[in-house]
């Protein structure tokens, strides 16, 4: 194990350069996020992920944000285990009828100020699953959404661009 | 029992000519009973059980001969003799049939709803589809009685980045006395969305039943369509599909090995495995245009051929794995504190595994040498050399090692496929007969065998499609695996299973 750890000392890091915040995300956020709230959080945002009905593809890419290439934590984001500790809810999937209440309650348990990011084409409007008896639709049908990161699934780079926009707007 | 072969039993029924490649027969209640007894007596293995208006279908495998088939029982009065009464692996499937189609399994010892949480605007979406008026009633969990027992409810929203489901633990101090799962939270009504869908839309939907197995699902769907329409696929398409399927297996097994170690608080393995996984996804994107390879396999072949530099990209990937993997395997092997957590944890009795027809890593780590690439088998695997690794330890450690073995195996398969990739087109035209036709396929995903059954209408759209995830026969065993383990080892057991919520909930 020591050898593995040492090797990492002299190997160049795998981490990719930070992408520019997504223009589209900045535009969407600019209109929504309130100035006063922006100043409160400093430079760190706690994220709680909620799968509200996803096919689990979006989760795989959200997971990838934590690998050495994207290293989400270097930007001050970290994933927390409870909505009570969270500033941001990252919500995936078409919201299923069976998950609707759980999403509402998770949102209610998240302290203000809070932001909701709807991830994936499904989070936007239900995606391929829209229209049946079992799905309510996109995340915005159930809780207010501040930012959409579309894609099926969005790549870690796209997720990062969206989250960085959130950080930038939030810093004001 | 045991004197009849599956074929002989199904031959007594009324054969459905348009069902391919295995036979389907409309059977009488007597034959149905014979099949149920055969399942309970371990002569056959349950592959699937699903319903449609007025009929239930039972897919069965005969492991000794590799033959399989479907028995269909008409249910004119809205009920059918329960399979789960004698054969518990069928119970959740029957509860689902009651929820979705409204056909009642007579004699099923567990009459509670399963996927229906009382929150859909209609009940029995595949049957009467009645508007729902009553409010959802609370779910009655099974009781556990005894002194100083306490309950721990977990979920549906979990602490990690994982899918939602509810676990109800009853514990005595640290030791788990009973775990009861409640699933269905991510039920998206995929089967009903598939009704009447075009093949293009249906392929996208089935490819999203469980995103982590998108290649295997798309492949199972494509193979079922090709069986139904009697379409031959160009040889190169078979090989490219296998290439994608092995990349999917590599990525997922790598992620799982790391994630299991992470749940034993050994983050170093996780970090390194996540890097390897990311490299697979990047190579996949470079070769086929999508990191998870979604929508790359379609009925008739694959969407796009390997680009000019694809072979080099993938060879470099294999070389990188060969450099990085051995020290990680050594690390796992030599870290006693890690093995202390994994060895002996989450043991599943091999007899249970056989009874449930549990496939994939869990099955093979528990003595069941089943791999759909070998049985029933499909091209190009019959031309490729690989063994089916089997272990008998059936614990978390065994499941880690089995994944390690399969990673090595997939690397070799990728190399061999690149070496021997036949020339020619990567997709062909589907035959369109203008007739109703039915097809079925069984494909080995990274998690286990995926079944897709479908009926195409005369206009070529989907009339009915049922995708069955391997998790159906794995989730129940997790309840058994955790018994007498401590609560803190649940994440470890759960991760070593890595069942799909979405694939199961549909
Ligand atoms: S957007 Fe795509 S990957 Fe994400 S949950 Fe929906 S279908 Fe799955």
């Amino acid at each position: 194990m020591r050898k593995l750890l040492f090797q990492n000392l002299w190997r160049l890091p795998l981490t990719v350069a930070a992408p520019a915040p997504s223009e589209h995300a900045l535009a969407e956020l600019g209109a929504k996020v309130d100035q006063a709230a922006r100043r409160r959080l400093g430079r760190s945002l706690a994220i709680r992920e909620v799968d509200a009905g996803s096919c689990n593809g979006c989760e795989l890419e959200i997971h990838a944000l934590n690998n050495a290439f994207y290293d989400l934590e270097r930007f001050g984001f970290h994933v927390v285990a409870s909505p009570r500790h969270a500033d941001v809810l990252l919500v995936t999937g078409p919201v299923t009828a069976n998950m609707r209440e759980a999403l509402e309650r998770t949102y209610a348990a998240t302290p203000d100020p809070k932001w909701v990011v709807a991830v994936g084409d499904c989070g936007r409007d239900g995606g391929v699953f829209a229209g049946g008896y079992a799905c309510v639709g996109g995340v915005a049908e159930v809780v207010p959404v501040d930012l959409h990161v579309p894609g099926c699934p969005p790549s870690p780079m796209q997720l990062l661009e969206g989250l960085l926009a959130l950080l930038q707007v939030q810093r004001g | 029992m045991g004197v009849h072969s599956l074929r002989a039993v199904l031959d007594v029924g009324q054969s459905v000519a348009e069902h391919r490649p295995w036979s389907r027969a409309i059977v009488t209640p007597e034959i149905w009973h014979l099949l149920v007894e055969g399942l309970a007596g371990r002569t056959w293995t349950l592959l699937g059980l699903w319903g449609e208006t007025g009929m239930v279908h039972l897919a069965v495998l005969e492991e000794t001969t590799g033959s399989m088939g479907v028995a269909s029982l008409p249910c004119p009065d809205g009920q059918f003799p329960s399979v789960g009464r004698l054969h518990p692996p069928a119970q959740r499937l029957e509860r689902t049939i009651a929820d979705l189609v409204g056909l009642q399994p007579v004699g099923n010892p567990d009459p509670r709803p399963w996927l229906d949480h009382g929150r859909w605007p209609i009940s029995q979406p595949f049957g009467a589809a009645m508007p729902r008026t009553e409010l959802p009633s609370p779910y009655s969990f099974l009781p556990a009685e005894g002194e100083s027992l306490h309950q721990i409810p977990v979920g549906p929203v979990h602490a990690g980045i994982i899918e939602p489901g509810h676990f109800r633990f009853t514990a005595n101090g640290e030791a788990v006395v009973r775990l009861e799962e409640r699933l269905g939270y991510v039920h998206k009504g995929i089967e009903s969305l598939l009704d009447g869908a075009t093949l293009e839309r249906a392929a996208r939907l089935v490819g999203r039943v469980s995103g982590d197995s998108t290649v295997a699902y798309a492949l199972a769907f494509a193979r079922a369509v090709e069986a139904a329409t009697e379409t031959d696929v160009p040889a190169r398409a078979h090989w490219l599909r296998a290439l994608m399927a092995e990349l999917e297996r590599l990525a997922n097994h790598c992620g799982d090995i790391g994630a299991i170690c992470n749940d034993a608080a050994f983050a170093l393995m996780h970090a390194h495995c996540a890097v390897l996984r990311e490299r697979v996804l990047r190579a996949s994107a470079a070769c086929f245009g999508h990191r998870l390879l979604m929508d790359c396999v379609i009925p008739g072949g694959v969407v796009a051929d390997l680009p000019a530099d694809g072979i080099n990209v993938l060879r470099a990937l294999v070389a990188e794995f060969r450099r990085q993997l051995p020290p990680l395997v050594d690390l796992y092997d030599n870290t006693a504190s890690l093995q202390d957590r994994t060895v002996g944890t989450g043991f599943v009795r091999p007899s249970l595994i056989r009874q449930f027809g549990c496939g994939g890593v869990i099955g093979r780590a528990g003595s069941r040498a089943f791999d759909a690439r070998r049985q029933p088998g499909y091209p190009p695997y019959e031309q490729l050399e690989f063994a089916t690794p089997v272990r008998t330890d059936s614990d978390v450690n065994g499941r880690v090692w089995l994944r390690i073995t399969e990673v090595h195996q997939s690397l070799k398969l990728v190399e061999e496929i690149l070496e021997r990739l036949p020339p020619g087109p990567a997709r062909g035209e589907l035959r369109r007969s203008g007739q109703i036709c039915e097809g079925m396929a069984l494909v080995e995903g990274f998690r286990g065998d995926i079944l897709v059954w479908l009926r195409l209408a005369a206009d070529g759209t989907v009339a009915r499609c049922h995708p069955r995830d391997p998790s159906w026969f794995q989730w129940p065993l997790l309840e058994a695996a955790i018994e007498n383990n401590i609560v803190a080892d649940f994440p470890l057991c759960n991760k070593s299973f890595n069942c799909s919520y979405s694939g199961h909930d549909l």
Side-chain angles (χ1 to χ4, degrees):
Chain A
M1 168 152 66
R2 230 178 295 149
K3 195 164 148 225
L4 250 166
L5 289 171
F6 272 129
Q7 271 174 359
N8 287 333
L9 286 180
W10 35 84
R11 216 186 279 144
L12 286 176
L14 297 166
T15 317
V16 295
S22 142
E23 287 298 325
H24 137 87
L26 281 174
E28 185 179 358
L29 284 167
K32 287 184 191 153
V33 179
D34 111 78
Q35 289 285 347
R38 286 179 194 173
R39 271 177 232 113
R40 279 201 224 153
L41 292 144
R43 305 205 303 153
S44 122
L45 282 183
I47 300 176
R48 171 75 281 229
E49 200 265 350
V50 183
D51 175 342
S54 141
C55 79
N56 79 29
C58 281
E59 275 62 36
L60 294 176
E61 294 297 51
I62 293 173
H63 257 294
L65 284 174
N66 274 318
N67 74 29
F69 290 90
Y70 306 107
D71 188 17
L72 186 66
E73 298 220 352
R74 72 187 141 139
F75 301 108
F77 291 105
H78 60 283
V79 180
V80 294
S82 164
R84 303 215 185 268
H85 306 156
D87 308 307
V88 179
L89 292 183
L90 208 55
V91 188
T92 65
V95 183
T96 62
N98 288 353
M99 270 303 286
R100 178 184 196 134
E101 187 189 340
L103 175 59
E104 286 166 347
R105 287 168 65 165
T106 307
Y107 182 80
T110 311
D112 282 323
K114 57 188 163 196
W115 292 274
V116 175
V117 180
V119 174
D121 289 353
C122 291
R124 187 188 52 205
D125 55 14
V128 285
F129 304 114
Y133 64 91
C135 292
V136 180
V139 178
E141 297 285 329
V142 179
V143 293
V145 171
D146 299 286
L147 173 65
H148 291 85
V149 183
C152 184
S155 67
M157 239 8 186
Q158 288 166 315
L159 286 164
L160 216 51
E161 286 165 5
L163 289 172
L164 287 179
L166 194 66
L167 204 60
Q168 179 157 328
V169 173
Q170 187 242 116
R171 277 179 202 156
Chain B
M1 278 312 305
V3 286
H4 309 287
S5 73
L6 178 60
R7 173 173 295 250
V9 172
L10 289 178
D11 277 352
V12 181
Q14 176 197 336
S15 159
V16 178
E18 63 270 16
H19 188 271
R20 289 176 279 266
W22 300 288
S23 55
R24 174 164 91 83
I26 315 271
V27 301
T28 58
E30 290 71 37
I31 303 180
W32 185 266
H33 279 299
L34 206 62
L35 287 164
V36 173
E37 280 173 13
L39 288 171
R42 310 276 202 282
T43 309
W44 299 306
T45 306
L46 179 63
L47 276 184
L49 181 60
W50 66 98
E52 59 181 319
T53 315
M55 193 173 279
V56 280
H57 304 286
L58 174 68
V60 172
L61 166 76
E62 186 170 80
E63 291 190 41
T64 45
T65 60
S67 77
M68 39 200 267
V70 180
S72 305
L73 180 73
C75 316
D77 41 7
Q79 53 186 39
F80 62 99
S82 166
V83 180
R85 186 174 69 86
L86 293 178
H87 192 54
Q91 286 181 8
R92 287 178 178 177
L93 290 159
E94 287 184 345
R95 292 163 69 185
T96 301
I97 292 173
D99 286 351
L100 298 182
V101 192
L103 300 172
Q104 297 305 323
V106 178
N108 186 339
D110 192 343
R112 294 173 298 170
W114 181 238
L115 298 184
D116 187 351
H117 293 191
R119 300 185 179 253
W120 307 329
I122 49 173
S123 59
Q124 303 172 9
F126 268 93
M130 296 289 286
R132 190 186 299 271
T133 44
E134 77 277 23
L135 291 169
S137 47
Y139 188 74
S140 43
F141 286 93
L142 299 174
E145 284 171 23
E147 250 183 72
S148 66
L149 295 184
H150 63 284
Q151 287 205 329
I152 312 172
V154 178
V157 179
H158 295 302
I161 305 173
I162 57 168
E163 300 180 77
H166 183 87
F167 300 117
R168 183 65 59 101
F169 296 93
T170 305
N172 186 345
E174 273 287 279
V176 178
V177 177
R178 161 174 265 161
L179 161 65
E180 187 179 357
E181 296 155 357
R182 190 191 185 197
L183 302 173
Y185 289 93
V186 287
H187 177 74
K188 294 180 270 294
I190 294 178
E191 281 174 290
S192 95
L193 293 170
L194 283 165
D195 260 11
T198 60
L199 287 186
E200 290 70 28
R201 171 161 160 78
R204 286 175 62 81
L205 274 165
V206 178
R208 285 163 178 76
V209 167
S210 182
D212 52 13
S213 306
T214 180
V215 175
Y217 266 101
L219 178 56
F221 177 75
R223 290 190 56 78
V225 171
E226 288 150 12
T229 57
E230 300 186 279
T231 301
D232 283 326
V233 173
R236 188 174 175 86
H238 285 310
W239 287 73
L240 287 171
R241 287 170 168 185
L243 181 61
M244 295 182 197
E246 296 312 318
L247 289 172
E248 181 169 272
R249 201 178 323 277
L250 266 181
N252 282 306
H253 277 358
C254 244
D256 284 350
I257 294 167
I260 294 168
C261 296
N262 199 43
D263 276 346
F266 198 67
L268 184 63
M269 275 294 275
H270 182 49
H272 283 274
C273 287
V275 167
L276 284 177
R277 178 184 155 84
E278 175 70 18
R279 292 199 191 280
V280 183
L281 301 194
R282 289 178 168 210
S284 299
C287 292
F288 299 106
H290 193 285
R291 284 165 53 89
L292 303 180
L293 300 168
M294 271 179 176
D295 308 322
C296 291
V297 175
I298 50 163
V302 297
V303 167
D305 207 328
L306 261 184
D309 63 343
I311 292 201
N312 290 336
V313 169
L314 294 175
R315 288 219 168 106
L317 175 74
V318 173
E320 177 72 11
F321 260 79
R322 292 257 151 84
R323 268 195 304 278
Q324 304 294 342
L325 194 60
L328 293 178
V329 175
D330 285 347
L331 181 61
Y332 179 77
D333 205 10
N334 296 328
T335 307
S337 61
L338 185 53
Q339 304 231 329
D340 181 49
R341 296 289 307 278
T342 59
V343 175
T345 307
F347 173 76
V348 189
R349 265 182 293 127
S351 60
L352 260 186
I353 285 174
R354 231 178 321 117
Q355 180 187 21
F356 275 75
C358 166
V361 167
I362 309 165
R364 289 189 287 274
S367 306
R368 182 170 182 254
F370 182 80
D371 184 328
R373 290 174 294 176
R374 282 288 181 240
Q375 190 193 66
Y378 45 93
Y381 289 104
E382 76 284 356
Q383 298 177 54
L384 289 164
E385 225 178 285
F386 68 100
T388 303
V390 187
R391 296 177 65 94
T392 55
D393 35 9
S394 207
D395 57 358
V396 174
N397 178 56
R399 296 189 275 274
V400 170
W401 279 110
L402 205 100
R403 286 184 172 93
I404 292 173
T405 311
E406 294 194 0
V407 165
H408 285 300
Q409 202 169 55
S410 289
L411 287 174
K412 243 186 84 209
L413 284 171
V414 167
E415 267 180 329
E416 201 173 332
I417 291 169
L418 293 175
E419 194 83 32
R420 296 170 50 195
L421 203 55
R427 65 194 279 192
E429 282 298 314
L430 271 189
R431 285 181 36 168
R432 307 226 179 214
S433 61
Q435 310 271 319
I436 294 173
C437 52
E438 297 176 349
M440 180 161 122
L442 195 71
V443 160
E444 188 73 17
F446 86 96
R447 182 176 279 123
D449 51 299
I450 293 168
L451 175 88
V452 169
W453 180 89
L454 52 78
R455 178 186 300 127
L456 300 181
D459 64 1
T461 58
V462 174
R464 176 83 176 91
C465 175
H466 173 71
R468 193 272 299 146
D469 197 85
S471 307
W472 278 101
F473 304 125
Q474 299 171 338
W475 274 120
L477 299 189
L478 181 61
E479 294 184 345
I482 188 65
E483 239 177 75
N484 297 325
N485 285 254
I486 59 172
V487 178
D489 277 343
F490 178 70
L492 210 51
C493 297
N494 192 19
K495 205 54 98 348
S496 79
F497 269 58
N498 190 16
C499 300
S500 175
Y501 298 70
S502 183
H504 167 280
D505 293 355
L506 264 187

